[in-house]
Amino acid sequence: MAARGLPGGSSLAESATVRRRQRPMFLTRTFVVGLILLMWPLAVALLGILLLDPKGLRIAALPPSSPPSPEHPLGSDSAGRDILTLLAQGTPPTYLIGFVAGVLGTTIGTIIGLVSGYARGMVDTGLRGLVDVTLGIPALAVAIIVAAMLGSITTVQLAFVIAVLIWAFPARQIRSQVLSLREQPFVLISRLSNQGSMSIIFMELLPNILPFVVASLVAAVSFSILLAVGLQLLGLGSAEPTLGLVLQLAISGGALSRGMWWWWLPPAIVLISIFVGLFLLSTTIDRYANPRLREVANA
């Protein structure tokens, strides 16, 4: 009986292994946890916008520096604004900055990286030089100068400024991926079939590096949010309510020295959750995009 059970147990184990290998690698517990950590602040904020009275953003809407209470779970700041309302209104613009800047910067970098990696001669030299020069420019310093010159700008304008500063990072990474693919047999066959260069770049090369592009996008979103928060902590960038502005108001209002934890701790927790979620997503997608990591995971 035991001898007969062994083959069945072995086949069940093999079928489980096959199912595990057939499942997309990014659909893991780490991916799900990262997605939850990334999206719950946005979902709660959108619900709060629907339920909370926007009058809470007004100065002196509540008694100044009020501690949390059942009516106002996060209390008020030194100007009498409701912190929960301020947090709910400031969370979606923070996501907007990150995703607009990340998508735009990654799109520009992907196009330049694809063209530079596939082309040869002066085109590759010129684009590679442009990427190297851009990478040598400190993004935060330039963002501070631009934000100071422009003054108060909208969240979308801030996202465009950040996108101009971050496109070179994905461009270099994607170019290196294309360099390893452009000599592959499927690219040679496409050339022999008289397929145009742009068609080869966007129809043959791009689909093969798409998981890597997605990983670059997640990293770009994370860096964009970090840069936007850094600018607003310095009192620059958008004057619209964002998580960075809430923290800047808390710092300038002396929340730490006055023991007003309800002012600075909630936005800090939200930002930590966003960054940890993006890190977990980036790690999972990078494992899926990187062939070497994929082989280790499947072993």
Side-chain angles (χ1 to χ4, degrees):
M1 293 295 293
R4 291 196 198 106
L6 286 175
S10 176
S11 62
L12 288 174
E14 291 176 359
S15 62
T17 303
V18 170
R19 286 195 301 270
R20 180 177 60 85
R21 293 185 177 182
Q22 288 177 345
R23 184 182 62 189
M25 186 163 302
F26 58 85
L27 294 179
T28 62
R29 292 180 181 177
T30 303
F31 181 87
V32 173
V33 171
L35 191 61
I36 293 173
L37 289 175
L38 174 63
M39 298 309 297
W40 78 260
L42 181 59
V44 173
L46 293 176
L47 181 62
I49 291 174
L50 295 176
L51 300 178
L52 296 175
D53 188 354
K55 293 180 181 179
L57 294 176
R58 297 178 182 176
I59 294 176
L62 302 175
S65 305
S66 299
S69 64
E71 295 79 13
H72 305 283
L74 295 182
S76 66
D77 61 10
S78 58
R81 288 170 293 216
D82 184 65
I83 301 252
L84 183 59
T85 304
L86 192 62
L87 198 61
Q89 294 287 342
T91 299
T94 303
Y95 280 84
L96 180 65
I97 293 173
F99 281 97
V100 170
V103 169
L104 185 59
T106 304
T107 300
I108 296 173
T110 299
I111 294 173
I112 292 178
L114 284 167
V115 174
S116 177
Y118 180 76
R120 294 175 174 82
M122 294 182 61
V123 174
D124 182 32
T125 302
L127 291 177
R128 188 175 70 249
L130 178 62
V131 170
D132 291 339
V133 170
T134 305
L135 287 174
I137 300 174
L140 180 59
V142 175
I144 291 173
I145 295 173
V146 173
M149 292 176 60
L150 295 177
S152 180
I153 57 178
T154 66
T155 53
V156 175
Q157 290 172 335
L158 179 59
F160 276 90
V161 171
I162 294 174
V164 173
L165 298 174
I166 67 171
W167 64 267
F169 295 95
R172 167 174 281 187
Q173 295 172 339
I174 289 168
R175 177 183 178 274
S176 65
Q177 296 294 316
V178 175
L179 286 176
S180 64
L181 288 176
R182 70 180 184 183
E183 303 301 332
Q184 293 296 318
F186 72 92
V187 177
L188 178 60
I189 293 173
S190 299
R191 291 191 191 127
L192 295 176
S193 302
N194 293 325
Q195 193 171 346
S197 297
M198 290 296 103
S199 177
I200 294 175
I201 289 174
F202 292 103
M203 301 300 294
E204 302 293 340
L205 293 175
L206 180 58
N208 283 276
I209 64 168
L210 200 55
F212 192 84
V213 173
V214 175
S216 299
L217 171 62
V218 175
V221 170
S222 179
F223 184 76
S224 300
I225 295 176
L226 181 63
L227 189 56
V229 171
L231 284 174
Q232 291 180 313
L233 288 177
L234 296 173
L236 301 170
S238 175
E240 300 177 15
T242 60
L243 294 175
L245 182 61
V246 176
L247 283 176
Q248 192 272 333
L249 291 173
I251 293 173
S252 62
L256 291 173
S257 60
R258 297 167 61 187
M260 298 175 63
W261 59 266
W262 60 87
W263 194 355
W264 61 267
L265 185 58
I269 291 175
V270 171
L271 285 172
I272 290 172
S273 178
I274 291 173
F275 287 129
V276 172
L278 287 169
F279 172 76
L280 293 178
L281 291 179
S282 178
T283 301
T284 307
I285 296 173
D286 185 60
R287 185 180 295 114
Y288 176 73
N290 192 323
R292 295 179 180 178
L293 296 177
R294 193 186 315 162
E295 291 174 0
V296 171
N298 286 334

